[in-house]
Amino acid sequence: MNITEEIQELKKEKNAVILAHYYVNSEIQEIADYIGDSYYLSKAAVDLKEQTIVFCGVSFMGESAKILNPGKTVLMPDTTADCAMAHMADEETIRRMRNEYEDLAVVCYINSTAELKRHSDVCVTSANAVKIVKALPNQNIFFIPDRNLAHFVAEQVPEKHFVYNQGYCPVHEEIQVQEILKEKELHPQAKILTHPECPQAVREMSDYIGSTSGIIAYAGKSECMEFIICTETGVRSELEKQNPGKKFYFTATKPVCHDMKKVTLEKIRDVLKNGENEIQVTEELRAESVRPLQRMLELAR
Ligand code: 13P
Ligand code: SF4
């Protein structure tokens, strides 16, 4: 039996399902039952019939799945796979902002710890942030942790006042204007598709800005045959699978999230076999952090 067959057998035996983000390695995406961006995966995690969820992604994703499904077992193939940005905000600043602005909504990117979520009013992902911020009754928005996504949303919702936090994704932050220009010189017909976690200068030169699913959908619908992709390289496999004949280029310094790449087939097999690396969230933390997640799911509907 090869490792893929072993995983399929174990999945049946343990009544388990595999969820994977587009940034994990392609061989993981191939065996996943659900692949998607953060918003899709948080929706998919609700109402699954299987008892065990193996979450192929970083810790805030598995943690969110557990918070939304307290009765389920959520296993992480590698517990050290974490998102640096998820920690780039703090409770003390949230408190200070709440004292400073009467009518404040703390809007928390889902790329954050449960501790940050519990102090927030609503969660968002890159796919639904604009819609949700527009729908909030509040005029003042403190957007944590990502400054780049915050600025992107603020540009789309100019009628609201934004307070910025200084978090960022180290992978998207490193995508360079000069490297994109080099690709554009080589492929002048290519459209530039960008994730909103990228810095403003990169967003400004882009033809489209959206979540990983948004980028994949745009490339599929476009009549253009070439694209410069400004996000993590894991999306390549889905882009190529859905669009045979179209060409996708990444910047020379490949944007790679090494934490997402920690997930391997062997680790998936092992956690299925041993039931190790189970996400644990105290009931107190879960009860408080589930509110902003549920509000996101309601407002984004
Ligand atoms: P999306 O899944 O919302 O596109 O966000 C990308 C990301 O950085 C996930 O960690
Ligand atoms: Fe976090 Fe960036 Fe990796 Fe996404 S790509 S998980 S935001 S470090």
Side-chain angles (χ1 to χ4, degrees), residues 113-243:
T113 60
E115 271 302 327
L116 288 172
K117 289 184 176 83
R118 92 193 299 179
H119 298 292
S120 304
D121 298 301
V122 66
C123 287
V124 296
T125 76
S126 60
N128 59 33
V130 171
K131 184 177 180 183
I132 289 176
V133 170
K134 275 188 180 163
L136 292 173
N138 315 64
Q139 188 57 29
N140 292 309
I141 307 293
F142 181 37
F143 195 107
I144 58 167
D146 188 11
R147 63 180 175 215
N148 291 320
L149 180 62
H151 279 277
F152 169 70
V153 177
E155 286 154 20
Q156 316 299 309
V157 194
E159 65 275 20
K160 302 216 174 191
H161 172 252
F162 280 70
V163 182
Y164 300 97
N165 179 71
Q166 288 310 314
Y168 61 92
C169 162
V171 180
H172 289 86
E173 185 81 6
E174 281 306 302
I175 298 179
Q176 304 286 328
V177 168
Q178 284 312 317
E179 290 195 350
I180 300 168
L181 289 173
K182 263 192 204 144
E183 292 304 316
K184 189 74 180 168
E185 235 174 80
L186 294 170
H187 316 287
Q189 301 305 322
K191 289 222 184 287
I192 303 171
L193 314 187
T194 293
H195 197 281
E197 286 175 17
C198 289
Q200 187 172 9
V202 173
R203 295 198 310 274
E204 276 173 359
M205 66 197 291
S206 302
D207 296 293
Y208 171 79
I209 304 162
S211 74
T212 43
S213 301
I215 288 173
I216 292 165
Y218 183 98
K221 282 190 206 129
S222 171
E223 281 172 14
C224 186
M225 296 302 284
E226 295 181 291
F227 303 89
I228 297 161
I229 304 296
C230 302
T231 190
E232 215 274 355
T233 55
V235 297
R236 181 192 281 284
S237 52
E238 189 66 22
L239 283 166
E240 290 181 342
K241 193 164 90 187
Q242 290 191 19
N243 302 286

